[in-house]
Amino acid sequence: MIELDNVAYSYSGAALFSGLSLQLAPGSFHFLTGPSGSGKTTFLKLCYGALRATEGRVSVFDTDVADMDRDAVAFARRRIGVVHQDCQFLDHLPLAENVALPLTVTGQASVDQVDNLRELLTWVGLTAKADALPPELSGGERQRAALARALILSPDVILADEPTGNVDWEMSQRLLRLLVELNKMGKTVMIATHDLMLIRAAKSLVPARILRIAGGTLQSAGADL
Ligand SMILES: Nc1ncnc2c1ncn2[C@@H]1O[C@H](COP(=O)(O)OP(=O)(O)O)[C@@H](O)[C@H]1O
Ligand SMILES: [Mg+2]
């Protein structure tokens, strides 16, 4: 699905990381952990084409990102659902419209034409909040809304950046179970998190590969957690 081959990235000056290689196989489940500032968000951005590798090769659905123009990246992005770390919404639009936004902004459908919107809101447990405005939502509700929005285009891959960043333990378990459920439905999932408790909790739910990014390199981190 997504493949990184000997990738380096630098914002300016020294490389943030280098020599990174990874294959996200269809249906796989990965955790990406590492200290704050180690490059987890940057890594995800390389995976969905928001940034281009300074060195090495990133391919998305068998196409080299370096060969993709903006339209091609936008097209590939439709198959990758991203849950952003800061989950921003348009505060003047009700939750349901925010979730449907990836479809409605492109003029493909109006909110009531989006078939799976209701189903998606039920699945994340936000039916009762469909008409609420984003500032009225709790942290956990925002995170679940961000997940629903990432899924509205039925992507094959879900990249979640600290999806449990602002929620209590119970809610983070709930979000984890939703992500595991998506993986059981065949979706490829990668979760960036510094929360080792969450990764430990996942062990009994899903066979996940655990990667750790630190000091500019990527390592497997299964055994020491
Ligand atoms: N747009 C940017 N310009 C310059 N430096 C950045 C930018 N975004 C992130 N960085 C720096 O790159 C490093 C890695 O950031 P990030 O990928 O967000 O790490 P993490 O998600 O692991 O906390 C940090 O030192 C951060 O300050
Ligand atoms: Mg980050």
Side-chain angles (χ1 to χ4, degrees):
M1 297 257 130
I2 296 176
E3 193 173 344
L4 284 81
D5 184 20
N6 214 12
V7 163
Y9 190 79
S10 25
Y11 283 102
S12 56
L16 177 57
F17 45 63
S18 56
L20 260 60
S21 296
L22 176 70
Q23 281 185 11
L24 291 191
S28 61
F29 197 111
H30 284 82
F31 281 105
L32 176 64
T33 187
S36 175
S38 58
K40 300 182 293 297
T41 298
T42 304
F43 184 92
L44 293 184
K45 285 181 174 168
L46 288 166
C47 289
Y48 62 87
L51 293 174
R52 287 177 187 234
T54 314
E55 278 173 43
R57 205 172 65 92
V58 177
S59 54
V60 177
F61 307 122
D62 296 320
T63 309
D64 193 331
V65 173
D67 297 333
M68 292 177 160
D69 60 14
R70 276 176 64 135
D71 286 350
V73 171
F75 190 73
R77 281 280 281 107
R78 298 178 59 90
R79 295 177 60 192
I80 305 175
V82 181
V83 184
H84 296 277
Q85 192 163 1
D86 51 5
C87 43
Q88 304 234 9
F89 298 101
L90 296 179
D91 286 347
H92 63 284
L93 288 183
L95 172 71
E97 288 189 37
N98 268 286
V99 169
L101 215 54
L103 271 175
T104 53
V105 284
T106 51
Q108 293 176 71
S110 68
V111 170
D112 21 287
Q113 287 169 329
V114 182
D115 292 342
N116 56 346
L117 180 60
R118 191 178 299 268
E119 203 180 318
L120 206 47
L121 290 178
T122 306
W123 184 69
V124 296
L126 288 176
T127 308
K129 298 283 177 181
D131 298 322
L133 295 175
E136 300 162 16
L137 301 174
S138 71
E141 288 164 348
R142 291 177 75 86
Q143 290 287 1
R144 282 178 285 148
L147 180 59
R149 184 178 54 187
L151 294 171
I152 194 77
L153 297 176
S154 303
D156 300 316
V157 182
I158 320 291
L159 303 175
D161 197 358
E162 307 277 0
T164 60
N166 288 311
V167 302
D168 61 28
W169 178 239
E170 204 120 309
M171 184 55 69
S172 60
Q173 298 263 77
R174 183 169 174 184
L175 283 155
L176 175 65
R177 284 196 299 271
L178 291 173
L179 288 157
V180 168
E181 212 177 299
L182 288 169
N183 180 247
K184 306 261 186 235
M185 284 156 52
K187 299 197 191 282
T188 308
V189 175
M190 180 170 226
I191 304 177
T193 181
H194 63 270
D195 187 352
L196 298 184
M197 293 258 286
L198 186 78
I199 299 177
R200 287 188 198 113
K203 279 191 173 170
S204 59
L205 302 176
V206 65
R209 230 184 120 193
I210 304 159
L211 304 166
R212 182 176 153 83
I213 187 167
T217 58
L218 186 72
Q219 285 139 7
S220 246
D224 53 344
L225 283 170

